[in-house]
Amino acid sequence: MVLEHAFGEIDAATILGVTDVHIWKGLVVQLGAGVEFIDEEKYLVGRIGTLYEYEFKGGLTFAPQVHYDISHKNSVVFGASFGVLKKNISHRFFLW
């Protein structure tokens, strides 16, 4: 699940259910669908994107990423996430 908020001109919150397809080493293709909330309106959104997850000592991760969101206004989303790997479970924290 991805929870994110866009600040600035677009004040939007998005909730997505995503699937990560691990292609090679840290390269991941991400697919998902969800809901975007803008000015008290709800819009369906689909997402396709890619990220590369770097793993560091202690199970810390960093993943720059780019996504294409298909919604009432299609958009390109750039971001990065920080995370922690524990017992083969990845917890990511998305940052813009």
Side-chain angles (χ1 to χ4, degrees):
M1 178 172 283
V2 173
L3 304 171
E4 61 187 33
H5 188 87
F7 298 94
E9 283 183 35
I10 302 172
D11 188 21
T14 307
I15 300 171
L16 298 157
V18 297
T19 298
D20 288 353
V21 180
H22 296 263
I23 303 296
W24 174 77
K25 296 188 180 184
L27 182 62
V28 177
V29 172
Q30 193 173 74
L31 306 165
V35 180
E36 186 171 49
F37 302 91
I38 302 174
D39 297 327
E40 299 182 19
E41 297 287 330
K42 295 179 193 174
Y43 303 96
L44 293 177
V45 60
R47 171 172 283 185
I48 184 167
T50 188
L51 59 99
Y52 194 92
E53 190 168 54
Y54 297 93
E55 293 182 22
F56 301 98
K57 290 182 181 179
L60 299 177
T61 65
F62 171 72
Q65 44 198 288
V66 61
H67 302 281
Y68 186 72
D69 284 358
I70 303 159
S71 186
H72 72 291
K73 289 186 180 180
N74 298 345
S75 59
V76 177
V77 178
F78 297 95
S81 65
F82 293 91
V84 178
L85 292 173
K86 290 186 178 182
K87 297 181 183 176
N88 296 325
I89 298 172
S90 177
H91 302 280
R92 287 195 200 118
F93 307 96
F94 189 77
L95 299 177
W96 294 100

